[in-house]
Each structure stands twice: as C-alpha cells, then as structure tokens.
C-alpha cells in the first residue's frame, strides 16, 4: 500500500448514470444528488465543480479529489462563407481535434429549419490510412475518451452562447443532430463511442434522439454487427467509396481485412436488426472510382441494401495527389445510378473554403507547428 495521493485523471463526463449513482452511494450521499449532479453536467452545462453551488461542500470536495472536469480549449475557429464553423480544440494532454458546426440555414434542402448538425471526432488521427483522407495521412495518435467526444457538442454550445447566440435554438440544446464523421474511425473506439452516444441520447444527458445520431464507418464489419445488437436506433452510414474489391483495396486498406462481401452482409444484419435504412457515402475521385463498372457494381449493392447513396465530390487535401472530378463527371455518374433506379443525392460539401473535410484543419495546424519547430531549431 502507498500513501501517495494520486491526482485524479478520469473526467466526470466519461461516467454513465449508473457509475455516478454507485460512486455517490459509496460516498454515502442521498440518491437525489445523482440527478442534481447530472443536471449540472448536462442541463446547466457546468464547466467546473465549484459552480455546482447546491451540492454540499463535502461532495464537491470528493468529486474534485477523484475526478476532473476539464472543458476543451478552443484553439481556433474558422467561419465559412456558407455559415459552417470549424473548431480546433486542444485536449488536456495538448493533442488537437476538430469539430464542425453546420447550422440549419446551410443544411440540405428539405432540412427542418431548426436542425443544427455537429460533426464530431472520435480519435486523434486515424489508423486506417484511407488514401484520400487528411486524418489517415497524419496516422493514429490515440482514442478519445467519452468526455472528449461529448464535450465537443457542449463546447460548441458554450461557444455559441459566448459569441452572442445568433442561431435559432431548438427545444433543449442548440445541437440536435450529431454525425460521427469527424477525425477518426468511431467503431475502432467502440467502448468510448457507445458511452458517449449514451450520454448524447439519454434523458439524463443531452436527450438527443437516437435517430438524430449517425455513426459513420469505413467498414469495421464485426463492430457493425455489435452495434446492430444495441437496442438504440442509431443511424449508420457506410463510407464505401468503391463498389468493387479491386477499387476499394486501392484506396481503403481496411477492405483487405473486411472485403466487400463481409461488409455488406454486416450491413444487412444491421438493417435486419433495426429495420432501418443505411446510407452509403461515396466520394467521387477522378480516374479512381468514377467508371461505368463502378456504376454497375454500386447499383447492385444499393439495391441489395435498398439504401440511399450520397455522392460527395472529393475535397482536395494538401499533400494528397487525388483530383476532384468535373461537374460533368459527377452529373454523369449520378444520372447513370438514377437510371438504374438507385436513390442518389450529390452532397455539396459545406465549408470547402475553410477545409471542413475531416482532419484538414488539424493537419494544417500541425504542419505550421512543424515548420515553427524546424525554424526554432535552426535559430
Ligand atoms: N472514419 C469514419 C468517419 C470519419 S470520416 C469513416 O471513414 O466513415 C467522415 C467522412 O469523410 C467519410 O465518409 C470519409 O470518407 C469522408 N472524407 C474523408 N476525406 C475526404 C475528402 N478529402 N473529401 C471528401 N470526403 C472525405
Ligand atoms: Fe480514417 Fe475514416 Fe479517414 Fe479512412 S476516411 S482514414 S477510416 S477517418
């Protein structure tokens, strides 16, 4: 046994309701304190334990002695001409992550007017190395814990309040649509992801409907099957980007581990379990995946899954030698799918003028730091 007092390292918001309950019970507090504490975290959005004025001093001291409450630090915000705002946050250990707010006013046509979307990161960097992706380019650093995932949404709300609160606020919080499409592969950080989704979704948490929460994956088939077994109706988006193993192998190394047949049958299992439609995301990259054989294969897969296909013209990334196809190529690909009876939309990327594609802002900021370091060493 050692008498050394250990500094707390677990964030309060990485606990779920049961853990808060058992911790407070262990310390001998009444059960209504649980509701009070969760209320401070997720309804009043406290950013320090000191703020929790109606909790007894003893409880606040116990909390401070065992847990951290450490909000993300805003490093940089970039506003796009179309209203999209991109945020770069610093984590407690100095690592950088990003989130993107897509206000309702710039949503796709047909969006309800009060739907503000936030694109959330799940890891620092990404281990999957897709050839077109800025997050893949920088490699994998670490998983985010649940509080670092959850606080991206809370931090955007804090930012909105502090910056004058110009966006119309739907009932509850500002953000009511969450897409796990930021940096990282959410299903590779499964346990922290599930915990964060529970906090987003629970009535004691942010109370955002499961149908308003989308998990995007590059195709981790076993984890898709695990997610299928969860009772919540989370929405699933598959980053397909190639409709044959041949093309997918070239741009997404994950395909060698879980080839298309394995991925598609996991998607079928998901659909069967949930009775819900899956989205397929397909980036169009010039001379890579825009040929007629891809139209043929993609329409076959889309019919098998009865899914909607979202086409996204590739967003150029510094240091990656891939090209966005012409509008004509995009139109031809879309029309060919449409003629085959596939429900298809073209997503016009938001915030292209601010590098809103995942990982780009962090990549640029890392490069700047690297340059500064080199200059610093030389001097
Ligand atoms: N790892 C997960 C989620 C994060 S990526 C996944 O791959 O699904 C979110 C989406 O952005 C994915 O569909 C990804 O393929 C896409 N994306 C990555 N780089 C892009 C780029 N340069 N242009 C357009 N979309 C890109
Ligand atoms: Fe990772 Fe997704 Fe980027 Fe692939 S597309 S490198 S899985 S973040």
């Amino acid at each position: 046994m050692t008498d050394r007092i250990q500094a707390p390292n677990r964030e309060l918001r990485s606990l779920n309701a049961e853990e808060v309950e058992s911790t407070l019970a262990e310390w001998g507090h009444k059960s209504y304190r649980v509701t009070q504490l969760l209320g401070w975290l997720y309804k009043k959005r406290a950013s320090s334990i000191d703020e929790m004025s109606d909790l007894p001093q003893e409880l606040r001291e116990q909390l401070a002695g065992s847990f951290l409450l450490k909000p993300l630090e805003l490093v940089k915000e970039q506003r796009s001409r179309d209203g999209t705002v991109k945020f770069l946050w610093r984590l407690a250990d100095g690592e950088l992550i990003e989130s993107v707010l897509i206000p309702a006013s710039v949503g796709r046509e047909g969006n309800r007017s009060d739907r503000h979307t936030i694109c959330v990161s799940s890891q620092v960097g990404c281990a999957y190395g897709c050839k077109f992706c800025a997050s893949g380019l920088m490699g994998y650093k670490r998983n985010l814990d649940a509080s670092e995932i959850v606080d991206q949404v809370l931090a955007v709300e804090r930012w909105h309040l502090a910056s004058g609160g110009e966006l119309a606020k739907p009932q509850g919080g500002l953000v009511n649509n969450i897409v796990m499409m930021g940096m990282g592969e959410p299903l590779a950080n499964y346990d922290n992801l599930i915990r964060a989704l529970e906090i987003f979704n629970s009535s004691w948490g942010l109370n955002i409907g499961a149908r308003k929460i989308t998990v995007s994956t590059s195709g981790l088939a076993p984890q898709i099957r695990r997610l299928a077994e969860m009772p919540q109706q989370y929405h699933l988006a598959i980053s397909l980007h190639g409709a044959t193993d041949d093309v997918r192998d070239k741009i997404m190394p994950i395909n060698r581990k879980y080839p298309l047949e394995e991925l598609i049958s996991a998607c079928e299992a998901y659909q069967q379990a949930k009775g819900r439609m899956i989205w397929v995301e397909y980036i169009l990259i010039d001379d890579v995946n825009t040929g007629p054989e891809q139209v043929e294969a993609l329409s076959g897969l889309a019919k098998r899954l009865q899914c909607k296909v979202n086409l996204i013209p590739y967003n150029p990334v510094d240091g990656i030698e891939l090209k966005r196809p012409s509008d004509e190529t995009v139109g031809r690909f879309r029309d060919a799918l449409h003629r085959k009876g596939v429900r298809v939309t073209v997503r016009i990327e938001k915030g292209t003028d601010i590098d809103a594609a995942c990982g780009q802002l962090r990549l640029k900021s890392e490069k700047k730091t690297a340059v500064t370091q080199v200059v610093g060493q030389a001097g």
Side-chain angles (χ1 to χ4, degrees):
M1 221 181 97
T2 166
D3 287 340
R4 199 150 45 100
I5 298 166
Q6 285 220 316
N9 60 7
R10 192 154 179 210
E11 233 277 354
L12 250 182
R13 293 162 304 172
S14 61
L15 270 62
N16 61 20
E18 290 84 62
E19 286 168 332
V20 170
E21 216 172 300
S22 62
T23 306
L24 266 51
E26 206 176 295
W27 291 340
H29 294 283
K30 298 228 165 65
S31 62
Y32 72 91
R33 297 291 183 199
V34 174
T35 318
Q36 254 180 325
L37 175 54
L38 293 172
W40 276 109
L41 294 175
Y42 303 115
K43 310 296 176 206
K44 298 186 197 158
R45 320 277 166 97
S47 40
S48 73
I49 293 169
D50 285 346
E51 268 170 66
M52 305 179 180
S53 49
D54 57 2
L55 296 186
Q57 181 67 20
E58 186 202 6
L59 174 52
R60 276 186 276 160
E61 279 168 15
Q62 286 167 319
L63 287 171
S66 303
F67 298 101
L68 298 169
L69 186 55
K70 195 149 186 352
L72 297 176
E73 183 193 329
L74 181 62
V75 177
K76 191 168 166 181
E77 82 182 69
Q78 268 186 305
R79 283 183 192 238
S80 159
R81 281 188 293 276
D82 65 16
T84 303
V85 192
K86 180 147 186 166
F87 303 89
L88 188 68
W89 311 109
R90 186 174 292 111
L91 305 174
D93 64 354
E95 291 292 352
L96 300 174
I97 53 162
E98 24 178 284
S99 322
V100 182
L101 169 68
I102 306 148
S105 51
V106 288
R108 241 178 290 170
E109 243 177 274
N111 259 5
R112 287 198 8 241
S113 60
D114 62 352
R115 197 158 103 163
H116 303 301
T117 299
I118 177 166
C119 178
V120 173
S121 293
S122 55
Q123 299 181 311
V124 183
C126 182
Y128 288 84
C130 302
K131 298 285 185 276
F132 45 81
C133 177
S135 304
L137 200 62
M138 71 184 86
Y140 170 77
K141 284 271 179 74
R142 69 169 174 88
N143 279 331
L144 297 187
D145 79 5
S147 73
E148 292 166 328
I149 298 175
V150 169
D151 200 35
Q152 291 174 60
V153 174
L154 298 175
V156 168
E157 301 209 345
R158 286 195 298 271
W159 164 87
H160 181 246
L161 267 180
S163 66
E166 69 209 37
L167 296 173
K169 221 169 146 188
Q171 272 195 332
L174 170 77
V175 173
N176 58 352
N177 196 40
I178 293 179
V179 294
M180 297 301 307
M181 291 189 181
M183 201 192 290
E185 169 50 54
L187 292 185
N189 184 12
Y190 194 85
D191 293 342
N192 291 315
L193 172 80
I194 294 301
R195 192 166 277 249
L197 297 190
E198 185 187 348
I199 296 171
F200 287 146
N201 180 232
S202 297
S203 53
W204 52 261
L206 303 193
N207 204 18
I208 296 171
R211 287 162 186 270
K212 302 278 179 62
I213 299 174
T214 301
V215 176
S216 175
T217 179
S218 58
L220 275 65
Q223 283 88 331
I224 292 174
R225 289 179 186 276
R226 262 179 95 184
L227 196 66
E229 286 162 17
M230 301 274 304
Q232 289 87 354
Q233 294 275 27
Y234 299 127
H235 206 88
L236 185 66
I238 304 294
S239 295
L240 197 69
H241 314 329
T244 55
D245 280 324
D246 179 36
V247 165
R248 213 164 181 266
D249 276 350
K250 280 192 197 129
I251 51 176
M252 301 181 75
I254 181 82
N255 197 65
R256 284 178 223 136
K257 195 159 183 200
Y258 306 116
L260 269 172
E261 186 47 45
E262 218 170 314
L263 170 59
I264 300 300
S265 83
C267 292
E268 285 176 322
Y270 191 89
Q271 266 175 331
Q272 243 165 27
K274 309 275 183 199
R276 296 211 63 200
M277 208 168 79
I278 285 176
W279 288 341
V280 161
E281 309 276 321
Y282 194 98
I283 305 179
L284 289 165
I285 309 170
D286 207 27
D287 292 331
V288 173
N289 62 0
T290 54
E293 80 294 344
Q294 293 301 302
V295 172
E296 194 61 39
L298 181 54
S299 68
L301 294 179
K303 278 183 201 151
R304 188 169 152 197
L305 290 176
Q306 297 188 320
C307 65
K308 226 170 76 181
V309 175
N310 224 333
L311 300 175
I312 308 151
Y314 171 68
N315 199 2
V317 175
D318 277 356
I320 298 181
E321 303 267 304
L322 294 171
K323 283 208 316 268
R324 186 188 185 107
S326 66
D327 290 350
E328 195 194 341
T329 306
V330 173
R332 204 181 318 123
F333 198 88
R334 178 202 57 209
D335 293 346
L337 281 174
H338 190 70
R339 275 196 301 277
K340 288 181 173 295
V342 177
R343 274 170 301 169
V344 54
T345 50
V346 177
R347 182 159 86 205
I348 307 303
E349 277 290 305
K350 307 298 173 200
T352 41
D353 55 324
I354 55 160
D355 302 319
C358 67
Q360 284 184 327
L361 190 61
R362 179 180 187 275
L363 194 68
K364 279 203 173 158
S365 130
E366 293 247 304
K367 274 191 190 155
K368 244 190 230 159
T369 318
V371 169
T372 321
Q373 276 167 357
V374 171
V375 172
Q377 278 161 16

Short mmCIF file of all heavy atoms in Angstrom, two decimals, residues 283-317:
data_model
loop_
_atom_site.label_atom_id
_atom_site.label_comp_id
_atom_site.label_asym_id
_atom_site.label_seq_id
_atom_site.Cartn_x
_atom_site.Cartn_y
_atom_site.Cartn_z
N ILE A 283 -17.41 8.94 -52.12
CA ILE A 283 -16.64 10.09 -52.60
C ILE A 283 -16.30 9.83 -54.06
O ILE A 283 -15.85 8.73 -54.40
CB ILE A 283 -15.30 10.23 -51.84
CG1 ILE A 283 -15.52 10.32 -50.34
CG2 ILE A 283 -14.54 11.46 -52.30
CD1 ILE A 283 -14.20 10.43 -49.58
N LEU A 284 -16.48 10.82 -54.90
CA LEU A 284 -16.09 10.65 -56.30
C LEU A 284 -14.69 11.22 -56.50
O LEU A 284 -14.45 12.42 -56.28
CB LEU A 284 -17.09 11.36 -57.21
CG LEU A 284 -18.46 10.65 -57.29
CD1 LEU A 284 -19.52 11.57 -57.89
CD2 LEU A 284 -18.35 9.37 -58.11
N ILE A 285 -13.76 10.33 -56.89
CA ILE A 285 -12.38 10.75 -57.11
C ILE A 285 -12.04 10.51 -58.58
O ILE A 285 -12.24 9.40 -59.10
CB ILE A 285 -11.40 9.93 -56.22
CG1 ILE A 285 -11.86 9.95 -54.76
CG2 ILE A 285 -9.97 10.47 -56.36
CD1 ILE A 285 -11.09 8.98 -53.86
N ASP A 286 -11.56 11.55 -59.23
CA ASP A 286 -11.33 11.48 -60.67
C ASP A 286 -10.41 10.32 -61.04
O ASP A 286 -9.38 10.10 -60.38
CB ASP A 286 -10.71 12.81 -61.14
CG ASP A 286 -11.04 13.07 -62.60
OD1 ASP A 286 -12.09 12.57 -63.07
OD2 ASP A 286 -10.26 13.78 -63.26
N ASP A 287 -10.80 9.57 -62.05
CA ASP A 287 -10.00 8.46 -62.58
C ASP A 287 -9.75 7.33 -61.58
O ASP A 287 -8.89 6.49 -61.81
CB ASP A 287 -8.61 8.94 -63.08
CG ASP A 287 -8.74 9.81 -64.32
OD1 ASP A 287 -9.71 9.60 -65.07
OD2 ASP A 287 -7.90 10.71 -64.50
N VAL A 288 -10.44 7.32 -60.47
CA VAL A 288 -10.24 6.26 -59.50
C VAL A 288 -11.51 5.41 -59.36
O VAL A 288 -11.46 4.17 -59.46
CB VAL A 288 -9.82 6.82 -58.12
CG1 VAL A 288 -9.79 5.71 -57.07
CG2 VAL A 288 -8.46 7.50 -58.21
N ASN A 289 -12.64 6.08 -59.14
CA ASN A 289 -13.86 5.30 -58.85
C ASN A 289 -15.09 5.86 -59.58
O ASN A 289 -16.21 5.76 -59.06
CB ASN A 289 -14.10 5.26 -57.34
CG ASN A 289 -14.32 6.65 -56.75
OD1 ASN A 289 -14.28 7.64 -57.47
ND2 ASN A 289 -14.57 6.70 -55.46
N THR A 290 -14.87 6.48 -60.74
CA THR A 290 -15.99 7.11 -61.44
C THR A 290 -16.39 6.37 -62.72
O THR A 290 -17.19 6.87 -63.50
CB THR A 290 -15.64 8.58 -61.81
OG1 THR A 290 -14.39 8.56 -62.54
CG2 THR A 290 -15.49 9.45 -60.57
N GLY A 291 -15.80 5.19 -62.95
CA GLY A 291 -16.05 4.46 -64.20
C GLY A 291 -17.40 3.75 -64.24
O GLY A 291 -18.05 3.58 -63.21
N PRO A 292 -17.81 3.31 -65.47
CA PRO A 292 -19.11 2.64 -65.63
C PRO A 292 -19.21 1.33 -64.84
O PRO A 292 -20.29 0.96 -64.38
CB PRO A 292 -19.22 2.39 -67.14
CG PRO A 292 -17.87 2.66 -67.71
CD PRO A 292 -17.12 3.51 -66.74
N GLU A 293 -18.08 0.63 -64.64
CA GLU A 293 -18.14 -0.65 -63.91
C GLU A 293 -18.47 -0.40 -62.43
O GLU A 293 -19.09 -1.22 -61.76
CB GLU A 293 -16.86 -1.47 -64.09
CG GLU A 293 -15.65 -1.10 -63.24
CD GLU A 293 -15.06 0.28 -63.54
OE1 GLU A 293 -15.34 0.87 -64.59
OE2 GLU A 293 -14.28 0.76 -62.70
N GLN A 294 -18.09 0.83 -61.94
CA GLN A 294 -18.44 1.18 -60.56
C GLN A 294 -19.94 1.50 -60.45
O GLN A 294 -20.58 1.16 -59.47
CB GLN A 294 -17.60 2.36 -60.04
CG GLN A 294 -16.12 2.03 -59.89
CD GLN A 294 -15.87 0.86 -58.93
OE1 GLN A 294 -16.26 0.91 -57.77
NE2 GLN A 294 -15.24 -0.19 -59.43
N VAL A 295 -20.47 2.13 -61.50
CA VAL A 295 -21.92 2.42 -61.51
C VAL A 295 -22.68 1.10 -61.43
O VAL A 295 -23.60 0.95 -60.61
CB VAL A 295 -22.33 3.16 -62.82
CG1 VAL A 295 -23.85 3.27 -62.91
CG2 VAL A 295 -21.67 4.53 -62.89
N GLU A 296 -22.23 0.16 -62.24
CA GLU A 296 -22.89 -1.15 -62.30
C GLU A 296 -22.86 -1.84 -60.93
O GLU A 296 -23.88 -2.26 -60.39
CB GLU A 296 -22.13 -2.00 -63.34
CG GLU A 296 -22.81 -3.25 -63.80
CD GLU A 296 -24.15 -2.96 -64.48
OE1 GLU A 296 -24.25 -1.97 -65.23
OE2 GLU A 296 -25.10 -3.75 -64.22
N ALA A 297 -21.65 -1.91 -60.37
CA ALA A 297 -21.49 -2.62 -59.09
C ALA A 297 -22.20 -1.88 -57.96
O ALA A 297 -22.84 -2.49 -57.10
CB ALA A 297 -20.00 -2.76 -58.76
N LEU A 298 -22.10 -0.54 -57.96
CA LEU A 298 -22.72 0.25 -56.89
C LEU A 298 -24.24 0.13 -56.93
O LEU A 298 -24.89 0.01 -55.88
CB LEU A 298 -22.29 1.72 -57.02
CG LEU A 298 -22.80 2.70 -55.98
CD1 LEU A 298 -22.48 2.25 -54.56
CD2 LEU A 298 -22.19 4.11 -56.21
N SER A 299 -24.80 0.11 -58.13
CA SER A 299 -26.26 0.00 -58.19
C SER A 299 -26.70 -1.39 -57.69
O SER A 299 -27.72 -1.51 -57.01
CB SER A 299 -26.80 0.29 -59.59
OG SER A 299 -26.39 -0.72 -60.46
N GLY A 300 -25.88 -2.40 -57.96
CA GLY A 300 -26.18 -3.75 -57.44
C GLY A 300 -26.19 -3.76 -55.92
O GLY A 300 -27.13 -4.26 -55.28
N LEU A 301 -25.14 -3.15 -55.31
CA LEU A 301 -25.05 -3.12 -53.84
C LEU A 301 -26.19 -2.29 -53.25
O LEU A 301 -26.79 -2.66 -52.23
CB LEU A 301 -23.71 -2.51 -53.40
CG LEU A 301 -22.45 -3.30 -53.75
CD1 LEU A 301 -21.20 -2.56 -53.28
CD2 LEU A 301 -22.51 -4.69 -53.12
N ALA A 302 -26.48 -1.15 -53.89
CA ALA A 302 -27.52 -0.26 -53.36
C ALA A 302 -28.88 -0.94 -53.39
O ALA A 302 -29.68 -0.78 -52.47
CB ALA A 302 -27.55 1.04 -54.17
N LYS A 303 -29.10 -1.74 -54.43
CA LYS A 303 -30.40 -2.44 -54.50
C LYS A 303 -30.46 -3.53 -53.45
O LYS A 303 -31.48 -3.73 -52.79
CB LYS A 303 -30.62 -3.01 -55.89
CG LYS A 303 -31.14 -1.95 -56.83
CD LYS A 303 -31.44 -2.51 -58.19
CE LYS A 303 -31.45 -1.37 -59.20
NZ LYS A 303 -31.06 -1.82 -60.53
N ARG A 304 -29.33 -4.22 -53.29
CA ARG A 304 -29.29 -5.29 -52.28
C ARG A 304 -29.59 -4.71 -50.89
O ARG A 304 -30.32 -5.30 -50.10
CB ARG A 304 -27.90 -5.93 -52.32
CG ARG A 304 -27.78 -7.15 -51.48
CD ARG A 304 -26.48 -7.86 -51.78
NE ARG A 304 -26.05 -8.59 -50.62
CZ ARG A 304 -24.83 -9.06 -50.43
NH1 ARG A 304 -23.90 -8.90 -51.36
NH2 ARG A 304 -24.53 -9.72 -49.33
N LEU A 305 -29.03 -3.54 -50.60
CA LEU A 305 -29.25 -2.93 -49.27
C LEU A 305 -30.46 -2.01 -49.24
O LEU A 305 -30.82 -1.50 -48.18
CB LEU A 305 -28.01 -2.12 -48.86
CG LEU A 305 -26.75 -2.89 -48.52
CD1 LEU A 305 -25.61 -1.94 -48.22
CD2 LEU A 305 -26.99 -3.81 -47.32
N GLN A 306 -31.04 -1.78 -50.39
CA GLN A 306 -32.14 -0.81 -50.51
C GLN A 306 -31.78 0.49 -49.83
O GLN A 306 -32.56 1.03 -49.01
CB GLN A 306 -33.41 -1.38 -49.90
CG GLN A 306 -33.87 -2.61 -50.63
CD GLN A 306 -35.23 -3.07 -50.15
OE1 GLN A 306 -35.52 -3.03 -48.96
NE2 GLN A 306 -36.06 -3.48 -51.08
N CYS A 307 -30.59 0.97 -50.12
CA CYS A 307 -30.10 2.15 -49.40
C CYS A 307 -30.02 3.36 -50.31
O CYS A 307 -30.07 3.24 -51.52
CB CYS A 307 -28.73 1.87 -48.81
SG CYS A 307 -27.49 1.60 -50.06
N LYS A 308 -29.90 4.50 -49.67
CA LYS A 308 -29.71 5.75 -50.39
C LYS A 308 -28.21 5.97 -50.57
O LYS A 308 -27.42 5.66 -49.68
CB LYS A 308 -30.27 6.88 -49.55
CG LYS A 308 -31.11 7.83 -50.34
CD LYS A 308 -31.85 8.78 -49.43
CE LYS A 308 -30.91 9.84 -48.90
NZ LYS A 308 -31.58 10.78 -47.99
N VAL A 309 -27.81 6.46 -51.73
CA VAL A 309 -26.39 6.72 -51.97
C VAL A 309 -26.16 8.23 -52.01
O VAL A 309 -26.86 8.97 -52.69
CB VAL A 309 -25.93 6.09 -53.30
CG1 VAL A 309 -24.48 6.46 -53.61
CG2 VAL A 309 -26.08 4.57 -53.26
N ASN A 310 -25.17 8.64 -51.23
CA ASN A 310 -24.79 10.03 -51.15
C ASN A 310 -23.48 10.21 -51.89
O ASN A 310 -22.45 9.67 -51.44
CB ASN A 310 -24.55 10.32 -49.67
CG ASN A 310 -25.14 11.60 -49.23
OD1 ASN A 310 -25.31 12.51 -50.03
ND2 ASN A 310 -25.45 11.66 -47.96
N LEU A 311 -23.47 10.93 -52.98
CA LEU A 311 -22.22 11.15 -53.70
C LEU A 311 -21.57 12.43 -53.20
O LEU A 311 -22.24 13.44 -53.01
CB LEU A 311 -22.48 11.28 -55.20
CG LEU A 311 -23.13 10.07 -55.89
CD1 LEU A 311 -23.44 10.41 -57.35
CD2 LEU A 311 -22.23 8.85 -55.80
N ILE A 312 -20.25 12.37 -52.96
CA ILE A 312 -19.53 13.54 -52.45
C ILE A 312 -18.32 13.79 -53.34
O ILE A 312 -17.39 12.98 -53.34
CB ILE A 312 -19.04 13.31 -51.00
CG1 ILE A 312 -20.18 12.84 -50.12
CG2 ILE A 312 -18.36 14.54 -50.45
CD1 ILE A 312 -19.74 11.96 -48.97
N PRO A 313 -18.32 14.86 -54.11
CA PRO A 313 -17.12 15.14 -54.91
C PRO A 313 -15.92 15.31 -53.98
O PRO A 313 -16.02 16.02 -52.96
CB PRO A 313 -17.45 16.45 -55.63
CG PRO A 313 -18.95 16.55 -55.58
CD PRO A 313 -19.38 15.87 -54.32
N TYR A 314 -14.83 14.65 -54.28
CA TYR A 314 -13.63 14.65 -53.44
C TYR A 314 -13.18 16.08 -53.13
O TYR A 314 -13.09 16.92 -54.01
CB TYR A 314 -12.52 13.89 -54.17
CG TYR A 314 -11.18 14.01 -53.52
CD1 TYR A 314 -10.94 13.42 -52.29
CD2 TYR A 314 -10.15 14.72 -54.13
CE1 TYR A 314 -9.70 13.55 -51.67
CE2 TYR A 314 -8.91 14.84 -53.53
CZ TYR A 314 -8.70 14.26 -52.30
OH TYR A 314 -7.48 14.38 -51.69
N ASN A 315 -12.89 16.29 -51.86
CA ASN A 315 -12.44 17.60 -51.39
C ASN A 315 -10.91 17.57 -51.31
O ASN A 315 -10.37 16.82 -50.49
CB ASN A 315 -13.05 17.80 -50.01
CG ASN A 315 -13.06 19.25 -49.59
OD1 ASN A 315 -12.64 20.13 -50.33
ND2 ASN A 315 -13.52 19.48 -48.38
N PRO A 316 -10.21 18.31 -52.17
CA PRO A 316 -8.75 18.18 -52.22
C PRO A 316 -8.06 18.42 -50.87
O PRO A 316 -8.49 19.28 -50.10
CB PRO A 316 -8.33 19.26 -53.23
CG PRO A 316 -9.56 19.51 -54.04
CD PRO A 316 -10.72 19.30 -53.13
N VAL A 317 -7.03 17.65 -50.59
CA VAL A 317 -6.28 17.76 -49.34
C VAL A 317 -4.82 18.03 -49.70
O VAL A 317 -4.27 17.36 -50.58
CB VAL A 317 -6.36 16.41 -48.56
CG1 VAL A 317 -5.49 16.44 -47.31
CG2 VAL A 317 -7.81 16.06 -48.21
#
